[in-house]
């Protein structure tokens, strides 16, 4: 069943159960965010590529806090919720609106599956290496409830490009998502390990970087 949803075109990829900061500039956009906070209205966040095209899979979000500055700038802290697929897009109103269908994950990976245990071990090593390189790194994985939540928060700790984050967001399979996270963690830990031991990034860094 299609559902109407106000949409926000963002320059970042929001993930479910994670937070991000948006910077609405136009008066109409800022008014929308004030109303969304006051009434706790959900809206959809879609990644807008540099070409101007919108991703077709996004995340429903709510505003959790607003900060305004004397020079007119606004920061909106938002919290991601469910994934959705954009089916119809309308630009008739000042703000984008669309008709969407919400996506279900394929629960094809158990909490104690060896694949997930491997991913968790790699993430722990990545965090240790990052903190050895920069003690200020200090980002810990928040307490999570289930495989899906762990995967999204793990991605948030990694230095992944927008395309890689969007690719993970579009995966319906828990297993496929975790496999991609393992690949990214292997690349990142190898690069951090090389950097710690040799004081520079490996020559193949650009070739393996997820952008």
């Amino acid at each position: 069943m299609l559902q109407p949803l106000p949409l926000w075109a963002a320059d970042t990829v929001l993930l479910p159960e994670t937070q991000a900061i948006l910077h609405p500039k136009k008066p109409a956009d800022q008014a929308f965010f004030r109303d969304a906070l006051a009434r706790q209205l959900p809206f959809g966040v879609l990644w807008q590529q540099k070409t101007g095209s919108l991703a077709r899979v996004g995340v429903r979000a709510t505003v959790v806090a607003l900060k305004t500055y004397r020079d007119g700038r606004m920061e909106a802290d938002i919290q991601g919720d469910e994934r959705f697929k954009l089916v119809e897009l309308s630009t008739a109103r000042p703000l984008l609106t669309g008709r969407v269908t919400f996506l279900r994950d394929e629960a094809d990976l158990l909490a104690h599956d060896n694949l997930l245990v491997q991913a968790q071990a790699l993430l722990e090593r990545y965090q240790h290496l990052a903190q050895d390189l920069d003690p200020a790194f200090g980002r810990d994985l928040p307490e999570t409830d289930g495989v899906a939540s762990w995967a999204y928060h793990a991605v948030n700790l990694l230095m992944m490009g927008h395309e890689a984050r969007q690719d993970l967001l579009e995966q319906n399979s828990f297993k496929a998502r975790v496999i991609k996270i393992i690949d990214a963690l292997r690349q990142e830990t190898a690069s951090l390990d090389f950097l710690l031991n040799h004081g520079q990034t490996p020559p193949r860094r650009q070739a393996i970087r997820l952008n």
Side-chain angles (χ1 to χ4, degrees), residues 8-211:
W8 179 262
D11 60 359
T12 189
V13 179
L14 178 67
L15 299 173
E17 302 187 42
T18 67
Q19 292 189 352
I21 297 177
L22 301 179
H23 300 88
K25 297 178 181 179
K26 297 178 180 178
D29 295 341
Q30 294 184 352
F32 167 77
F33 278 91
R34 283 191 290 268
D35 187 51
L37 176 62
R39 300 168 58 193
Q40 282 299 288
L41 296 176
F43 60 99
V45 178
L46 289 167
W47 174 45
Q48 185 172 40
Q49 303 176 46
K50 291 182 179 179
T51 59
S53 61
L54 285 175
R56 289 290 165 176
V57 174
V59 173
R60 185 175 63 182
T62 54
V63 181
V64 295
L66 284 179
K67 184 182 292 185
T68 56
Y69 298 89
R70 292 182 179 179
D71 60 5
R73 291 180 297 121
M74 173 182 283
E75 288 184 355
D77 293 336
I78 63 171
Q79 172 76 40
D81 184 5
E82 289 188 73
R83 296 185 306 134
F84 67 83
K85 182 177 182 179
L86 178 63
V87 179
E88 296 176 3
L89 178 65
S90 172
T91 57
R93 298 171 58 185
L95 295 174
L96 293 174
T97 58
R99 289 169 62 81
V100 306
T101 181
F102 289 97
L103 301 174
R104 291 184 178 273
D105 288 330
E106 298 172 9
D108 53 2
L109 195 64
L110 300 176
H112 300 293
D113 190 283
N114 287 336
L115 199 64
L116 184 59
V117 172
Q118 180 184 358
Q120 291 169 333
L122 279 168
L123 180 63
E124 185 176 350
R125 173 161 172 73
Y126 168 80
Q127 290 175 287
H128 286 317
L129 288 172
Q131 289 169 356
D132 286 344
L133 187 64
D134 180 5
F137 178 76
R139 289 186 294 172
D140 293 322
L141 198 69
E143 292 187 10
T144 58
D145 181 19
V147 178
S149 180
W150 178 91
Y152 291 130
H153 284 288
V155 171
N156 247 18
L157 290 180
L158 291 170
M159 297 178 289
M160 299 181 71
H162 296 322
E163 289 182 4
R165 287 170 64 92
Q166 182 66 34
D167 181 43
L168 279 163
L169 179 64
E170 294 180 5
Q171 297 292 327
N172 292 325
S173 162
F174 288 170
K175 187 174 182 178
R177 211 174 284 154
V178 171
I179 288 173
K180 288 180 179 292
I181 290 171
I182 287 175
D183 289 341
L185 282 167
R186 283 175 175 162
Q187 294 172 18
E188 293 294 343
T189 52
S191 294
L192 289 176
D193 198 26
F194 191 97
L195 184 60
L196 283 166
N197 288 299
H198 300 279
Q200 59 182 1
T201 54
R204 62 191 182 93
R205 175 69 167 176
Q206 293 301 321
I208 63 174
R209 184 79 171 137
L210 289 174
N211 291 318

